[in-house]
Amino acid sequence: MAADVTKDTIHDTIAKKLDVTGHLSATSATANVIKLADLGCSVGPNTLASIHDLIHVIKQKHPSTSQLEFQVFFNDLPSNDFNALFRSLPLPADGGRGYFAAGVPGSFHGRLFPASSLHVVQLYYSIHWLSAAPKGPPANRGRIHYAGASGAVLEAYKAQWGEDMGRFLAARAAEVVAGGMVLVVGPSIPDGMPYSRLANGIMFDCMASILLDLARQGMIKEEEVDAFNLPIYAPLPGDIEAAVTKNGQFTIEAMGLNNPAPWLTEGVHVDMVEFTGHIRAAMEGMFLSHFPSHVVGILFDRLAVMMSELSEEMESAYKDKIQVYFVLCRK
Amino acid sequence: MAADVTKDTIHDTIAKKLDVTGHLSATSATANVIKLADLGCSVGPNTLASIHDLIHVIKQKHPSTSQLEFQVFFNDLPSNDFNALFRSLPLPADGGRGYFAAGVPGSFHGRLFPASSLHVVQLYYSIHWLSAAPKGPPANRGRIHYAGASGAVLEAYKAQWGEDMGRFLAARAAEVVAGGMVLVVGPSIPDGMPYSRLANGIMFDCMASILLDLARQGMIKEEEVDAFNLPIYAPLPGDIEAAVTKNGQFTIEAMGLNNPAPWLTEGVHVDMVEFTGHIRAAMEGMFLSHFPSHVVGILFDRLAVMMSELSEEMESAYKDKIQVYFVLCRK
């Protein structure tokens, strides 16, 4: 048939003329392209700002910046709103933006890119997302998270994070060129600090308490609350060191804990209603997959009120060194 | 501030340790990655099937396929539904799908990728999209397209396509490695065939006639119809040769015209209501940016009826050699 004639002709031409093993790979090697990836980018402007900063640093270091081209890969799960992300990109690609952009759908716990194809990978506040809530965690009555829970629940979370981080590092070890880097900033906790004092811990406790109230009112079952566990774990610096050592293909070039919100002072406060709005945007989907939508609506409405009442406690928690950064270099 | 300390520490580490000019580009050269791009991919399954075929051909040609990795870039305008496209991708990235996928938002009339970074580029039914309707075209009374219009209108369309194709080829010449290829299949017209006999010409005539009826009923102004011109041009093989020659950086390896629907026989027909539904999905947006939505609704409802009445004429048009294919090789 004629349609197949077209296809056959095109394919014959490729088969005859395209020299995959020869000059193609040699030619592409001469390209002076720096490839960056932001994993778990979501749709927000924070990602674009950090990419802009990163490119600036690399250009500053490199004396002949005019020769360099940058390609940036924005990754998140296929459920992310890439349409919104793409609409928010500066334009044009070859002018003001300063880099070529691409979106990559998929989980960063697995491979996303060809081997040795990335120079710098960054994750801002995405390394704490687990691939799933810990499988078969011990009973976690009246809670939706490990903060304040039994040691066995904490261990189940820690084990899940370690497993996820192992797969993350194995995938990145394949994708990042030798000498390339992985930059991570995200939630953490200092050794010895009780998890219940984490700002997220306080908030998740409030969520659980609202859900239990709704269970008492018969809107949901208490067992549904017990069975629901948020797939979020704030790793300790020691967890990170252990994972990197186990993987064996990266060196830790820098690592530390700090205060994520130094701008929070006696005179500057957080609008907790607005804060709860952001939390809702990020987390609503997880609740909606377990609870009816009217229950989730009530949950976040009540959470906004409760967070406002606890604003001092929340702000105090944010003054601790609960943010970790680390820089890995591919051996 | 502590937040800046994090950023500064990370950036210092990059500046000290990331060796951009040295071993990074050397290492990436060893990667055995074939990079393909589908430009104007929309959201449809046709794109995925053609990419699958293309990879199969390249693997068949290459004896040691296990060493090859494929990365596929799906491009369309930022207004395309990339969320739908990403949800339709086969999973997982490193397993059954056989390639790493990325979405690239932007116009293929400009640069989309770093220099010398692509091996094969394909366009299936997207080369006929103009960057815009011809600017300041001569009066085109009672028509929304060049088919059946005055020679001056046709020349304005042809000039716009030539300009767009010039920018397209310049961008691809930069992006495709030497020896790499550009494959195109799309609407065309044989030399000497009147444009009014094109299936699209028949359909656009129907659209114009419905819009003029609505103008007579006072729902829109006749001048609005006259001023609206669809940004679509079916290039002749001669148009393509002229553009490629003018650009000078590609050779034409194969080129021909054929019948786009050889499966249309006496016994097999097109459901014109379904056909109009596909047309509506693809073209509705262009009409909505010029006409009120209720007018566009009526337009496509009436078009479905009119197309059913003209199904024989439409099918007859599709039996002509109105599809062009060409294969370019980067010098």
Side-chain angles (χ1 to χ4, degrees):
Chain A
M1 295 201 302
D4 287 339
V5 170
T6 302
K7 207 192 212 179
D8 291 349
T9 310
I10 288 178
H11 289 170
D12 282 353
T13 311
I14 298 165
K16 275 189 208 127
K17 300 281 183 165
L18 185 67
D19 181 4
V20 164
T21 45
H23 56 292
L24 288 189
S25 50
T27 310
S28 65
T30 64
N32 217 347
V33 185
I34 304 295
K35 290 182 203 148
L36 314 175
D38 187 287
L39 308 186
C41 65
S42 186
V43 300
N46 296 342
T47 287
L48 300 181
S50 63
I51 285 292
H52 183 269
D53 287 349
L54 181 57
I55 289 176
H56 181 72
V57 170
I58 297 174
K59 279 189 173 175
Q60 271 197 323
K61 161 148 196 192
H62 197 269
S64 55
T65 52
S66 63
Q67 292 171 25
L68 282 183
E69 287 186 313
F70 291 85
Q71 188 170 32
V72 180
F73 296 91
F74 296 96
N75 155 262
D76 212 315
L77 293 174
S79 56
N80 185 51
D81 190 350
F82 283 94
N83 291 342
L85 172 71
F86 286 169
R87 280 193 300 268
S88 75
L89 284 175
L91 291 171
D94 46 343
R97 192 200 294 159
Y99 56 86
F100 298 102
V104 172
S107 164
F108 58 56
H109 296 115
R111 285 287 300 278
L112 296 165
F113 302 95
S116 299
S117 69
L118 296 176
H119 298 108
V120 182
V121 172
Q122 68 173 30
L123 289 87
Y124 279 83
Y125 277 79
S126 56
I127 198 78
H128 59 298
W129 291 109
L130 301 176
S131 62
K135 287 164 269 295
N140 197 16
R141 277 202 67 192
R143 304 198 166 276
I144 60 171
H145 190 244
Y146 61 83
S150 75
V153 172
L154 175 63
E155 287 310 313
Y157 268 88
K158 194 190 275 280
Q160 181 67 51
W161 186 85
E163 196 185 294
D164 286 344
M165 188 66 179
R167 291 192 292 135
F168 171 88
L169 288 172
R172 299 301 86 75
E175 295 166 356
V176 175
V177 299
M181 289 184 165
V182 177
L183 323 173
V184 180
V185 175
S188 183
I189 185 167
D191 265 328
M193 178 173 161
Y195 288 91
S196 55
R197 262 192 59 210
L198 275 175
N200 275 350
I202 296 167
M203 185 172 67
F204 299 154
D205 252 11
C206 290
M207 290 171 168
S209 125
I210 296 166
L211 288 169
L212 289 174
D213 273 349
L214 296 177
R216 272 188 287 275
Q217 292 169 30
M219 296 183 71
I220 47 175
K221 288 184 183 154
E222 201 174 310
E223 302 87 69
E224 291 178 76
V225 182
D226 299 346
F228 178 67
N229 287 297
L230 289 168
I232 291 172
Y233 177 78
L236 283 83
D239 294 334
I240 296 162
E241 283 171 324
V244 173
T245 303
K246 189 172 177 192
N247 170 271
Q249 299 189 278
F250 292 93
T251 55
I252 299 178
E253 297 295 329
M255 181 153 147
L257 282 175
N258 57 31
N259 172 355
W263 43 269
L264 270 181
T265 59
E266 290 308 312
V268 181
H269 299 284
V270 175
D271 179 336
M272 281 292 163
V273 174
E274 195 185 322
F275 172 82
T276 312
H278 293 304
I279 296 292
R280 180 174 186 158
M283 299 183 65
E284 192 173 41
M286 284 181 286
F287 287 93
L288 284 172
S289 62
H290 288 260
F291 300 105
S293 63
H294 66 282
V295 167
V296 176
I298 297 171
L299 167 66
F300 282 101
D301 288 348
R302 292 199 190 166
L303 185 67
V305 177
M306 208 177 257
M307 287 288 99
S308 298
E309 286 163 1
L310 291 171
S311 61
E312 266 187 53
E313 196 180 339
M314 286 291 285
E315 289 192 6
S316 159
Y318 273 114
K319 285 171 190 154
D320 277 313
K321 295 196 165 188
I322 58 170
Q323 177 176 274
V324 70
Y325 64 88
F326 57 97
V327 179
L328 308 180
C329 185
R330 178 74 170 88
K331 286 179 188 171
Chain B
M1 294 200 301
D4 287 338
V5 169
T6 303
K7 209 195 216 180
D8 291 349
T9 310
I10 287 178
H11 289 169
D12 283 354
T13 311
I14 298 165
K16 275 189 208 126
K17 302 281 184 167
L18 186 67
D19 181 5
V20 163
T21 45
H23 57 290
L24 288 189
S25 49
T27 310
S28 65
T30 63
N32 218 347
V33 185
I34 303 297
K35 290 184 204 148
L36 314 175
D38 186 287
L39 307 186
C41 65
S42 187
V43 300
N46 295 342
T47 288
L48 300 181
S50 62
I51 285 291
H52 183 269
D53 287 348
L54 182 57
I55 290 175
H56 181 71
V57 169
I58 297 174
K59 279 190 172 173
Q60 271 198 321
K61 161 147 196 194
H62 197 268
S64 56
T65 52
S66 63
Q67 292 170 24
L68 281 185
E69 287 186 314
F70 291 85
Q71 188 170 31
V72 180
F73 295 91
F74 296 97
N75 154 262
D76 211 316
L77 294 175
S79 55
N80 185 51
D81 190 349
F82 283 93
N83 291 342
L85 173 71
F86 287 169
R87 279 193 301 269
S88 75
L89 285 175
L91 291 170
D94 46 342
R97 193 199 295 159
Y99 57 86
F100 298 102
V104 174
S107 163
F108 59 54
H109 296 115
R111 286 286 300 278
L112 295 165
F113 301 95
S116 298
S117 68
L118 296 175
H119 299 107
V120 182
V121 172
Q122 68 173 30
L123 289 87
Y124 278 84
Y125 277 80
S126 56
I127 197 77
H128 59 299
W129 291 108
L130 302 175
S131 62
K135 285 163 272 294
N140 196 16
R141 277 202 67 191
R143 303 197 168 276
I144 61 171
H145 190 247
Y146 61 83
S150 75
V153 172
L154 175 62
E155 286 311 312
Y157 268 88
K158 194 189 275 281
Q160 182 66 52
W161 186 85
E163 196 184 294
D164 286 345
M165 188 66 178
R167 291 192 292 135
F168 171 88
L169 289 171
R172 300 301 86 73
E175 295 166 357
V176 175
V177 299
M181 288 183 165
V182 177
L183 323 173
V184 180
V185 175
S188 182
I189 185 167
D191 264 327
M193 177 173 161
Y195 288 91
S196 55
R197 263 191 59 211
L198 275 175
N200 275 349
I202 296 167
M203 185 172 65
F204 299 154
D205 252 11
C206 290
M207 290 171 169
S209 124
I210 296 167
L211 288 169
L212 288 174
D213 272 350
L214 297 177
R216 271 188 287 275
Q217 292 169 31
M219 295 182 72
I220 48 173
K221 289 185 182 152
E222 201 174 311
E223 302 86 69
E224 292 178 77
V225 181
D226 299 345
F228 178 66
N229 287 297
L230 288 168
I232 291 172
Y233 177 78
L236 283 82
D239 294 334
I240 295 161
E241 282 170 324
V244 173
T245 303
K246 190 173 176 190
N247 170 271
Q249 300 190 277
F250 291 93
T251 54
I252 299 178
E253 298 294 330
M255 181 153 147
L257 281 175
N258 57 32
N259 171 356
W263 43 269
L264 270 181
T265 59
E266 289 308 311
V268 181
H269 300 283
V270 176
D271 179 335
M272 280 292 162
V273 175
E274 195 185 322
F275 172 81
T276 312
H278 292 304
I279 296 292
R280 180 174 186 158
M283 298 183 65
E284 192 173 41
M286 285 182 286
F287 286 93
L288 285 172
S289 62
H290 288 261
F291 299 105
S293 63
H294 65 281
V295 167
V296 176
I298 297 171
L299 167 65
F300 283 101
D301 287 349
R302 292 198 190 167
L303 185 67
V305 177
M306 208 179 257
M307 287 288 98
S308 297
E309 287 163 0
L310 292 172
S311 61
E312 267 188 54
E313 195 180 341
M314 286 291 285
E315 289 192 6
S316 160
Y318 273 114
K319 285 171 191 156
D320 277 313
K321 295 197 165 189
I322 58 171
Q323 177 176 274
V324 70
Y325 65 88
F326 56 98
V327 179
L328 308 180
C329 185
R330 178 75 169 88
K331 286 179 186 170

